[in-house]
Amino acid sequence: MYIIFDEQIIDSDEIKDLIEKNSDFKVEKDMCKATKREDVLAYLLTLDVDLIKKEIEEEYDLQDMEMDDLFEEYMQMAEEKAIELEEIMPMYSIMNTISYKWDMSENKIKTIIAIAHTDLGVLKLSDVVKRLLSETD
């Protein structure tokens, strides 16, 4: 899908490839159409828990952690890694991410990411992410 980004047109597949080549995330689904906007890129990303588990083990003893605390730590770590993607996004872009699910059957963290030009504004982009979150599993 093609997205209007300021005065240029961006192919969502190009950004998908950028994400997969420059991070540990896998793009599970292109959600650009689900945004119901022509100026927002959105994806459902997955991150293997084993990749972030190693980093958490450096700081915490996982044997002593409650399941709720571990869940929160995984969500926070996945969001931090998603925010790092801002470095590879087009110039003048803003992002909003939310990690929302630990899929234990696949052992992956699911994260929604939305990217837009700064002209859209952080509040509108936040609303888009909330709407996308309500449409996911």
Side-chain angles (χ1 to χ4, degrees):
M1 185 170 177
Y2 292 95
I3 301 298
I4 301 168
F5 198 86
D6 193 25
E7 294 179 7
Q8 57 180 317
I9 306 286
I10 295 180
D11 183 358
S12 64
D13 287 337
E14 289 178 15
I15 300 298
K16 173 189 168 197
D17 292 341
L18 250 170
I19 291 170
E20 290 185 339
K21 287 178 185 172
N22 294 295
S23 73
D24 294 325
F25 286 101
K26 298 293 178 232
V27 177
E28 188 171 298
K29 184 177 180 184
D30 184 330
M31 300 182 78
C32 295
K33 283 186 180 178
T35 66
K36 299 180 177 119
R37 298 188 60 99
E38 297 176 349
D39 57 352
V40 176
L41 295 156
Y43 304 94
L44 174 60
L45 308 176
T46 58
L47 181 63
D48 193 342
V49 168
D50 293 334
L51 294 172
I52 54 178
K53 186 177 185 179
K54 292 174 188 171
E55 293 180 36
I56 294 172
E57 285 175 335
E58 292 174 6
E59 293 181 38
Y60 302 104
D61 182 12
L62 297 184
Q63 306 292 342
D64 297 335
M65 283 187 89
E66 299 272 331
M67 195 61 139
D68 289 343
D69 294 335
L70 188 58
F71 173 81
E72 289 297 322
E73 197 64 36
Y74 283 157
M75 296 299 115
Q76 181 180 351
M77 194 71 111
E79 284 183 16
E80 288 173 9
K81 288 193 171 293
I83 289 170
E84 291 173 6
L85 293 171
E86 196 164 30
E87 296 172 12
I88 61 169
M89 292 300 143
M91 191 178 274
Y92 305 115
S93 63
I94 55 174
M95 287 181 17
N96 193 313
T97 64
I98 186 163
S99 295
Y100 68 95
K101 183 179 181 180
W102 176 7
D103 187 338
M104 291 182 169
S105 64
E106 295 181 18
N107 204 30
K108 297 187 183 301
I109 302 296
K110 294 190 175 193
T111 303
I112 292 175
I113 185 171
I115 305 128
H117 190 269
T118 54
D119 291 346
L120 182 67
V122 176
L123 289 176
K124 282 186 184 174
L125 192 59
S126 177
D127 288 343
V128 168
V129 171
K130 287 176 187 170
R131 187 171 62 244
L132 291 173
L133 186 59
S134 70
E135 294 179 17
T136 57
D137 48 30

